[in-house]
Amino acid sequence: MLQQMNEMKDYLANLDGKIKGTLRLGVSQTYARYKLPTILAKFITEYPEVEIKLKSGFSYEVIQMINKEEANIGIVRDAYDWKGSKILLNKEKIYLVSKDKIDIDQLPNLTRIDYNTDLSLKNTIDAWWKESFDHPPKNTMEVDLIDTCREMVLNGLGYSFLPEICLKGCNNLYTYELYLHNENLVRNTWLIFHKQSLDLSVVKAFVEFIEKEKA
């Protein structure tokens, strides 16, 4: 019902041939922090009559937004069991990072800093740890935000596992590539939506725009 109402509003708003209306986005909080502002600024420049309504959260929360029709489009760090349409935006490596050079074999004895993140990333890191060590990590710090964790690492308070997206400009950190089953640990970022949402001109315009941006 909500989809039909939005389609009618979209049709009436675009009778003059211009792309206008409301685009409702649900976006992973990390992507919203590091990537989205630049993308939205370019999109609004190209489509100045589009209104953006944005909610950010963990990826599983974004998927719930799409399913509840609270958002037209989602950008998630992992697609979980999403059954609708999806477009791969990028892949990025997950690094072990520290201020000082460390011996990876000694990680169980070193201070580790964790942060709130999606369960999928936690599971990936846990799988790597179990393949690499017989002992649990020495966790002494748990923070809420990835930025806080990075600042703790920058100040030499411990090591952590951080995705490439938040390491730009951090040239004074040691970064170590990680492998699980002989493959790099990576995070995929996906654009997700229900196919019928493309009937909305603002949704179609954004999907085409972001595909062009990632090319």
Side-chain angles (χ1 to χ4, degrees):
M1 185 66 178
L2 182 59
Q3 175 70 18
Q4 292 174 336
M5 291 176 60
N6 288 332
E7 287 178 12
M8 179 59 68
K9 290 179 182 178
D10 182 75
Y11 172 76
L12 294 173
N14 293 280
L15 284 176
D16 59 0
K18 293 182 179 179
I19 302 296
K20 62 178 73 171
T22 302
L23 178 65
R24 292 171 294 131
L25 296 175
V27 183
S28 157
Q29 56 188 11
T30 302
Y31 194 89
R33 162 69 175 84
Y34 292 102
K35 292 287 188 180
L36 190 64
T38 301
I39 292 172
L40 286 186
K42 290 181 180 179
F43 181 74
I44 291 300
T45 299
E46 190 166 333
Y47 300 100
E49 296 190 56
V50 173
E51 178 187 2
I52 303 293
K53 289 192 175 180
L54 171 67
K55 288 184 178 181
S56 63
F58 291 119
S59 292
Y60 74 89
E61 294 173 324
V62 172
I63 291 175
Q64 290 176 356
M65 293 176 203
I66 302 294
N67 287 331
K68 293 178 181 178
E69 297 188 354
E70 295 174 357
N72 309 118
I73 292 177
I75 297 178
V76 296
R77 303 285 281 157
D78 292 293
Y80 294 90
D81 57 351
W82 174 252
K83 304 301 182 185
S85 299
K86 62 181 181 180
I87 298 170
L88 181 64
L89 296 183
N90 67 278
K91 293 184 176 183
E92 64 188 271
K93 294 178 181 178
I94 301 167
Y95 291 100
L96 168 68
V97 295
S98 63
K99 183 179 180 181
D100 302 308
K101 192 173 182 178
I102 58 177
D103 181 354
I104 293 181
D105 291 337
Q106 295 301 313
L107 282 189
N109 303 315
L110 303 178
T111 300
R112 172 169 155 177
I113 306 170
D114 283 333
Y115 54 94
N116 287 336
T117 187
D118 286 301
L119 183 60
S120 60
L121 179 56
K122 290 182 179 179
N123 288 341
T124 297
I125 294 171
D126 286 346
W128 176 84
W129 188 276
K130 289 177 182 177
E131 185 179 82
S132 304
F133 303 105
D134 295 326
H135 303 290
K138 180 184 176 184
N139 292 72
T140 59
M141 293 190 188
E142 294 185 14
V143 297
D144 57 344
L145 300 175
I146 194 171
D147 285 358
T148 305
C149 177
R150 185 189 61 189
E151 292 305 308
M152 294 290 186
V153 174
L154 282 166
N155 282 278
L157 298 174
Y159 73 89
S160 190
F161 300 91
L162 296 174
E164 194 172 353
I165 194 172
C166 69
L167 294 176
K168 186 176 181 179
C170 298
N171 300 322
N172 54 339
L173 286 178
Y174 283 91
T175 58
Y176 303 85
E177 292 190 22
L178 303 175
Y179 297 86
L180 181 63
H181 309 313
N182 297 317
E183 294 185 0
N184 272 115
L185 261 62
V186 297
R187 290 210 83 180
N188 297 330
T189 300
W190 297 90
L191 184 76
I192 64 171
F193 53 94
H194 291 300
K195 188 175 181 180
Q196 62 267 29
S197 294
L198 293 177
D199 293 335
L200 299 172
S201 61
V202 289
V203 172
K204 185 177 180 182
F206 186 79
V207 171
E208 292 175 349
F209 173 85
I210 204 166
E211 282 195 289
K212 182 176 65 176
E213 284 294 305
K214 80 179 184 67

